[in-house]
Amino acid sequence: ALDLPESLYSSKVLNAVKPEKDVDGLSSVNLGRLIHGDAYNCLVPPTVCAVMELLEDLGGKTVLLVGTSGTVGAALQCMLQREGAVTVSCQWKAPQLQTKLHHADVVVVGSTKPDDVPVSWIKPGTTIISCSHDLLSGKRRHGLHFSSLVGERLKLSNMVKTTEQWIQSQQYRKWDLRCLKLQPVSPVPSDIEISRAQSPKAVDVLAKEIGLLTDEIEIYGQTKAKVRLSLLERLKDQPDGKYVLVAGITPTPLGEGKSTVTIGLVQALTAHLDINSFACLRQPSQGPTFGFNLHLTGDIHAITAANNLLAAAIDARILHENTQSDKALYNRLVPVVNGVRGFSAIQLARLRRLGINKSDPGTLTEEEVSKFARLDIDPSTITWQRVVDTNDRFLRKITVGQAQFDIAVASEIMAILALTTSLQDMKERLGKMVVANDKKGEPVTAEDLGVTGALAVLMKDAIKPTLMQTLEGTPVFVHAGPFANIAHGNSSVLADKIALKLVGETGFVVTEAGFGADIGMEKFFNIKCRASGLVPSVVVLVATVRALKMHGGGPNVTAGAPLKKEYTEENLQLVADGCCNLQKQIQIAQLFGVPVVVALNVFKTDSVAEVDLVCKIAKQSGAFDAVPCNHWSAGGRGAVKLAQAVEKAARQKNSFKYLYSLELPIVEKIRIIAQKVYGAEDIELSLAAQTQIDRYTRQGFGNLPICMAKTHLSLSHQPERKGVPTGFILPISDVRASIGAGFIYPLVGTMSTMPGLPTRPCFYDIDLDPITEQVKGLF
């Protein structure tokens, strides 16, 4: 408790105190709340409370406030008037003071009475209350006095009130969500037109509606905010909601609508069924279509900066080790600063790992100096690439040292962002990233290079999920964006964990896994769920009649080209033949013991008979339910039946299990995925792949899960093979490791980690209106 003399009661000082800590009730915010009648959130000055305790039956009485000013005077007037009194205020020097004193029923004195104001001016029977500070020194005054103990008691009462409110605010709060109305039109406009026709809520309003505290969000503009991880500590005892994964069948190059199903489902749950729900989506890369994340909150830029800092650190270390003696290298690594020479914290940690238990730089032997200063990186083993978030195929040809370029979202740092569970965990994972081997064949990490802390600083804001909203005003987290074919293809663990706390025990968190269930879903279960410890409740498997016809033998589907008539006219035989892929994906989900609901994303060219056939086959194949969805054209209302099916499925018995034990050898884990998930007869390892497996096993990395890098266009390694290929041997061309992220990733066939732009990228359509600053040509 801070006591200040009245001479320091300036508004600048008083308003520097947070309103909820202002137990004296003197800040402008508390006065404003009092005047507006917000009794719950305001703190009344203890002096005012004391006056009100002493006075009764004020209706119609005249109360004169003499020598009261500022917040206390204003608060007194407000409280007295609320009790029906007529208030008059003046100072001791006022010319009409005698008349006012004579007519007053009650006189409240706020400062010392001057000697030239006689007591006889006050009519007999008048109640006098003195709040003057000189009372506390024992000077005798007429009327009612309240002691310092009363003031302190009332101040403590305010402290109790604000502490109780703080404790209450830390608990889980029921949502008070105002959903936004949609006005669907036909024909359906472009996505950007639909988006601009809606007026989103301010993000701070949305945050308050879902129970976030003011100090738990960092606002970016009007419609985006970062959410701080401190929420997890605040709500650590709050039970999680239900956890739903949206996956899909093997897609066409056009995609089958997993993201729209995810959004439609949460809109249906919350806006139409009044069930708390949260969507958790990946942030799209700018690269594939120039496509266009418009930077969002800069997370991918932070990853790019961190990734390339590490790449520069590798090259710089090799250069300096090649051009300096041990002594010169050591002197530069541990310089004298202001006459003092000392190791940094990360250097002390390296010394401990090397078994050198010394902290004085001057005490190391020549052998210890050499051991500490030299990483002896073998340039031929460098696996760390530079990255950029643009599809630039010509960067494939550029080699910097021993490394080339990847798309930014292929960086291991992106995978770490998606899998980390805390800031401390992220730091540890960043430090464990293996960038090369030394000349003895031992791994060299980011921690060895001394760059871990700097990487964490670059990523400290990116680790916070970004809060946004759907068209119907329901909450969405957009966070992390690893590709599913070359990485694990899921949004962040942290976004899911925070959302699961916010929705409450009966709410739903709906997240999406990239590409088909054989890729994104398998990695969600075997990698993401292992990292998070979370157990999924339901899998929603998205299918389209279009994709099923392709798997049934329909002609090739090419992005940008008109669909052939087989896809726009009814063809029940093609649909029936293609349902083999849907059946296989249902079986893959069942390997993990989770109920499956099939969401058939309906297009205007689909016939009723085709839709009914798919739903019938899906149910016969073991799906808990199969529901046609029209959310793309109707919003959440078009996914209400899906939401109801998901809610029922979530009540089913869940026997979730992983596909393989981490203790199995790397080769066996790869074989299990190939045979049980993809349907391969066996696997075939190249010499390079076998060599890497042997190396990772020897280095102690054999107990990590597997992240297969494989085409998403087929269950096999051959994109042209649709349906359910069988009898194939899965070729493993290479095996790499993301030790910080925590997985081994085998490369199936040839996988590019730097895509290229198409003949007609969408940048032809993208423009900026210089008057309105609106972006044109998106979607």
Side-chain angles (χ1 to χ4, degrees):
L2 178 64
D3 250 341
L4 294 175
E6 282 193 26
S7 60
L8 292 180
Y9 278 18
S10 68
S11 64
K12 182 178 179 182
V13 170
L14 296 178
N15 290 322
V17 180
K18 282 187 175 182
E20 62 269 25
K21 294 183 180 180
D22 174 27
V23 292
D24 286 307
L26 297 175
S27 69
S28 300
V29 172
N30 269 316
L31 178 60
R33 288 172 177 169
L34 175 64
I35 291 170
H36 282 91
D38 186 1
Y40 178 80
N41 286 312
C42 79
L43 292 169
V44 180
T47 301
V48 176
C49 293
V51 171
M52 299 309 295
E53 272 192 14
L54 293 169
L55 295 175
E56 295 177 349
D57 301 325
L58 287 170
K61 290 184 178 179
T62 299
V63 180
L64 176 64
L65 307 178
V66 187
T68 61
S69 60
T71 302
V72 171
L76 259 174
Q77 285 199 55
C78 178
M79 293 291 285
L80 290 165
Q81 289 170 4
R82 198 169 289 166
E83 293 297 318
V86 176
T87 61
V88 180
S89 183
C90 71
Q91 297 301 318
W92 290 113
K93 300 290 185 184
Q96 302 298 321
L97 176 63
Q98 184 175 356
T99 304
K100 291 178 179 177
L101 284 170
H102 184 72
H103 287 98
D105 299 307
V106 178
V107 176
V108 179
V109 177
S111 59
T112 305
K113 181 182 78 65
D115 292 334
D116 60 353
V117 177
V119 174
S120 60
W121 285 7
I122 302 172
K123 71 179 179 181
T126 300
T127 301
I128 305 170
I129 299 177
S130 179
C131 311
S132 171
H133 282 285
D134 63 354
L135 286 170
L136 306 183
S137 63
K139 291 183 182 178
R140 186 171 180 77
R141 288 289 181 269
H142 298 277
L144 300 172
H145 309 152
F146 57 87
S147 70
S148 61
L149 291 176
V150 175
E152 289 304 312
R153 173 176 64 80
L154 293 168
K155 185 183 290 189
L156 285 170
S157 178
N158 273 353
M159 291 179 76
V160 169
K161 176 182 176 180
T162 192
T163 303
E164 284 176 342
Q165 288 178 343
W166 180 85
I167 292 169
Q168 216 170 31
S169 76
Q170 301 304 299
Q171 308 306 309
Y172 174 78
R173 281 187 284 174
K174 191 173 184 290
W175 285 16
D176 183 23
L177 191 69
R178 177 182 62 88
C179 293
L180 305 177
K181 297 296 182 185
L182 276 185
Q183 301 294 336
V185 296
S186 183
V188 178
S190 69
D191 290 359
I192 195 70
E193 289 173 307
I194 295 170
S195 177
R196 289 199 175 134
Q198 184 63 285
S199 297
K201 294 178 281 191
V203 72
D204 59 328
V205 172
L206 173 65
K208 186 175 181 181
E209 288 177 343
I210 61 174
L212 286 162
L213 306 182
T214 305
D215 60 2
E216 288 174 340
I217 60 169
E218 298 169 4
I219 295 175
Y220 285 65
Q222 295 182 334
T223 55
K224 302 187 294 287
K226 286 286 193 182
V227 175
R228 293 177 178 161
L229 308 188
S230 57
L231 178 142
L232 286 171
E233 177 62 25
R234 175 170 70 88
L235 296 182
K236 63 184 178 183
D237 297 325
Q238 166 66 23
D240 288 346
K242 302 289 190 295
Y243 195 27
V244 178
L245 175 70
V246 176
I249 64 171
T250 305
T252 68
L254 306 178
E256 310 318 310
K258 291 191 306 300
S259 298
T260 67
V261 167
T262 301
I263 295 300
L265 176 54
V266 294
Q267 289 183 157
L269 283 164
T270 301
H272 299 274
L273 298 180
D274 197 27
I275 298 170
N276 289 357
S277 72
F278 228 113
C280 292
L281 298 174
R282 287 176 294 164
Q283 178 182 347
S285 165
Q286 175 183 293
T289 54
F290 187 58
F292 205 17
N293 71 47
L294 296 180
H295 316 298
L296 202 64
T297 48
D299 295 357
I300 293 180
H301 299 310
I303 288 164
T304 302
N307 186 99
N308 293 343
L309 173 63
L310 181 52
I314 296 166
D315 293 341
R317 189 58 174 261
I318 292 171
L319 170 71
H320 294 308
E321 287 190 23
N322 286 343
T323 57
Q324 298 180 51
S325 66
D326 289 353
K327 184 178 179 181
L329 189 62
Y330 184 66
N331 287 340
R332 285 181 171 85
L333 287 170
V334 193
V336 176
V337 179
N338 296 326
V340 178
R341 191 179 194 190
F343 294 112
S344 68
I346 202 165
Q347 289 177 325
L348 286 169
R350 173 165 166 74
L351 285 170
R352 287 193 294 272
R353 288 197 306 277
L354 293 171
I356 302 171
N357 297 312
K358 296 179 180 179
S359 56
D360 182 352
T363 61
L364 268 66
T365 65
E366 286 186 8
E367 183 184 352
E368 289 170 339
V369 164
S370 179
K371 195 175 179 182
F372 168 81
R374 295 199 176 275
L375 298 180
D376 278 331
I377 294 171
D378 180 351
S380 68
T381 66
I382 294 173
T383 55
W384 197 258
Q385 312 271 61
R386 282 170 170 79
V387 299
V388 63
D389 195 32
T390 303
N391 283 15
D392 191 343
R393 61 171 47 83
F394 285 94
L395 288 178
R396 300 172 191 165
K397 302 176 182 179
I398 294 176
T399 300
V400 182
Q402 296 297 313
Q404 296 176 317
F405 279 85
D406 286 340
I407 190 82
V409 293
S411 170
E412 182 177 351
I413 296 176
M414 174 61 88
I416 287 173
L417 178 67
L419 290 169
T420 194
T421 55
S422 67
L423 198 53
Q424 181 61 36
D425 178 60
M426 183 178 73
K427 271 189 70 176
E428 291 171 4
R429 287 174 178 270
L430 290 170
K432 290 177 183 175
M433 292 187 300
V434 174
V435 300
N437 291 320
D438 64 20
K439 290 169 183 175
K440 296 177 182 176
E442 295 303 316
V444 177
T445 66
E447 185 80 2
D448 292 324
L449 284 157
V451 75
T452 307
L455 299 179
V457 169
L458 288 172
M459 294 294 295
K460 71 180 178 65
D461 293 319
I463 195 175
K464 302 164 192 169
T466 300
L467 176 66
M468 300 181 76
Q469 63 192 285
T470 68
L471 285 170
E472 297 190 48
T474 67
V476 180
F477 275 138
V478 179
H479 198 218
F483 283 171
N485 52 354
I486 54 178
H488 72 284
N490 286 271
S491 61
S492 78
V493 165
L494 281 169
D496 292 357
K497 282 185 169 245
I498 291 172
L500 284 164
K501 295 297 182 188
L502 287 171
V503 296
E505 193 169 5
T506 58
F508 285 78
V509 171
V510 184
T511 189
E512 175 204 349
F515 298 131
D518 57 304
I519 297 184
M521 185 191 72
E522 180 271 314
K523 295 172 183 177
F524 172 85
F525 289 141
N526 283 320
I527 298 175
K528 185 176 180 180
C529 288
R530 273 191 164 106
S532 68
L534 299 173
V535 175
S537 309
V538 183
V539 169
V540 174
L541 195 63
V542 178
T544 61
V545 168
R546 176 181 68 195
L548 293 171
K549 285 180 175 179
M550 179 191 72
H551 288 297
N556 287 338
V557 175
T558 306
L563 288 170
K564 302 283 196 322
K565 65 179 179 63
E566 287 86 350
Y567 296 105
T568 57
E569 298 174 2
E570 184 178 284
N571 191 323
L572 295 175
Q573 189 59 54
L574 269 184
V575 173
D577 292 344
C579 277
C580 61
N581 187 272
L582 174 60
Q583 291 170 311
K584 173 64 174 173
Q585 302 286 13
I586 292 171
Q587 291 165 9
I588 294 169
Q590 289 172 333
L591 289 172
F592 297 92
V594 181
V596 179
V597 173
V598 171
L600 184 63
N601 192 14
V602 176
F603 287 69
K604 62 183 179 181
T605 54
D606 301 344
S607 74
V608 173
E610 288 173 332
V611 170
D612 290 345
L613 178 61
V614 174
C615 292
K616 178 183 175 184
I617 293 174
K619 292 175 187 176
Q620 290 173 345
S621 303
F624 174 81
D625 203 348
V627 184
C629 306
N630 298 289
H631 52 275
W632 181 79
S633 57
R637 191 172 301 282
V640 167
K641 288 184 179 178
L642 173 64
Q644 291 168 334
V646 167
E647 188 188 13
K648 288 177 185 173
R651 300 189 206 126
Q652 301 301 300
K653 183 181 178 183
N654 189 322
S655 52
F656 173 68
K657 56 184 179 293
Y658 300 119
L659 187 63
Y660 53 79
S661 165
L662 293 180
E663 307 305 315
L664 290 173
I666 293 173
V667 172
E668 278 310 302
K669 288 182 281 195
I670 296 172
R671 182 173 284 114
I672 287 171
I673 295 171
Q675 293 177 335
K676 291 190 175 182
V677 178
Y678 307 151
E681 188 175 311
D682 204 351
I683 61 172
E684 182 178 66
L685 298 173
S686 70
L687 180 60
Q690 185 62 63
T691 301
Q692 286 292 76
I693 288 172
D694 293 342
R695 172 178 288 154
Y696 294 139
T697 303
R698 180 180 57 80
Q699 291 176 341
F701 304 138
N703 288 346
L704 293 176
I706 304 298
C707 182
M708 302 289 277
K710 184 187 81 71
T711 179
H712 58 287
L713 296 173
S714 172
L715 284 162
S716 74
H717 59 288
Q718 298 166 300
E720 68 278 5
R721 295 188 68 178
K722 306 302 182 184
V724 182
T726 57
F728 61 93
I729 304 295
L730 194 74
I732 309 298
S733 58
D734 199 2
V735 177
R736 299 176 188 169
S738 292
I739 304 305
F743 54 71
I744 302 290
Y745 65 103
L747 275 63
V748 179
T750 303
M751 289 297 301
S752 174
T753 51
M754 171 50 79
L757 288 172
T759 305
R760 192 186 189 282
C762 71
F763 58 62
Y764 282 99
D765 304 309
I766 292 171
D767 200 1
L768 182 69
D769 186 317
I771 306 300
T772 64
E773 297 186 14
Q774 281 197 334
V775 177
K776 302 176 182 177
L778 286 179
F779 315 112

